[in-house]
């Protein structure tokens, strides 16, 4: 038997599905409907089924919105219990040491003579000045993909330098 959570399958079924507050459902076929209501026709059943499907879909969407709202509220509540992003003294010292190490490796790579002039400019623009690939490509008057390849090679060179 179909439930209101399966409204799409219900739409393709030949019966009308009634969903009740307690979660139970009742499925009524055209034959059952016409037996109970001989004064109505198959066309009447089709119209009622279309209305029923539309209502079921509306209720389904309403339930999904409520579930999303509740899950958002639950997430907001959970985030209050997560540790703050403020660093303690040990983490702060470790982060500073990591930055010093990264700058030493970057300086060694920049002064090694292994980079072309374009790679050097890309390195400074991307890693030091924080420019985007699009901005660098515009400055260099080239394609973004070219700059992206330079940056990937620079990242590999930095990994190798470590």
């Amino acid at each position: 038997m179909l439930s209101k959570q399966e409204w799409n399958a219900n739409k393709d079924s030949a019966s009308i599905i009634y969903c009740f507050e307690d979660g139970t459902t009742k499925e009524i076929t055209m034959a059952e409907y016409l037996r109970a209501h001989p004064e109505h026709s198959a066309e009447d059943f089709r119209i009622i089924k279309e209305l029923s499907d539309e209502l079921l879909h509306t209720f389904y969407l309403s339930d999904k919105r409520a579930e999303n709202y509740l899950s958002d509220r639950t997430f907001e509540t959970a985030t209050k219990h997560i540790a703050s992003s403020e660093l303690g003294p040990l983490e702060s010292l470790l982060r500073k040491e990591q930055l010093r190490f990264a700058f030493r490796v970057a300086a060694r790579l920049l002064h090694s003579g292994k980079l072309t002039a374009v790679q050097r400019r890309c390195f400074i623009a991307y890693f030091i000045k924080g420019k985007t690939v699009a901005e660098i490509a515009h400055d260099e008057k080239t394609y973004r993909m070219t700059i992206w390849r330079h940056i990937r090679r620079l990242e590999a060179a930095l990994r190798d330098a470590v």
Side-chain angles (χ1 to χ4, degrees), residues 96-108 161-162:
K96 286 179 185 175
E97 188 57 36
Q98 288 171 337
L99 281 172
R100 278 190 211 115
F101 177 72
F103 280 121
R104 281 195 303 267
V105 170
R108 201 172 345 143
V162 173

Side-chain angles (χ1 to χ4, degrees), residues 27-55:
E27 192 170 349
I28 299 178
T29 64
M30 185 186 313
E32 291 172 342
Y33 176 78
L34 293 176
R35 245 190 331 268
H37 304 282
E39 69 277 6
H40 294 288
S41 67
E43 181 62 21
D44 294 333
F45 179 82
R46 187 192 61 75
I47 292 169
I48 292 170
K49 172 147 177 46
E50 283 179 13
L51 290 171
S52 171
D53 291 346
E54 189 177 316
L55 277 173

Side-chain angles (χ1 to χ4, degrees), residues 49-91:
K49 172 147 177 46
E50 283 179 13
L51 290 171
S52 171
D53 291 346
E54 189 177 316
L55 277 173
L56 196 58
H57 183 246
T58 302
F59 288 138
Y60 170 79
L61 292 177
S62 173
D63 287 351
K64 290 309 277 179
R65 280 189 211 102
E67 284 173 18
N68 290 342
Y69 173 75
L70 290 175
S71 65
D72 288 347
R73 301 293 294 164
T74 304
F75 181 75
E76 288 171 8
T77 305
T79 55
K80 292 177 185 174
H81 301 292
I82 296 174
S84 73
S85 61
E86 293 177 18
L87 298 177
L90 185 60
E91 291 89 1

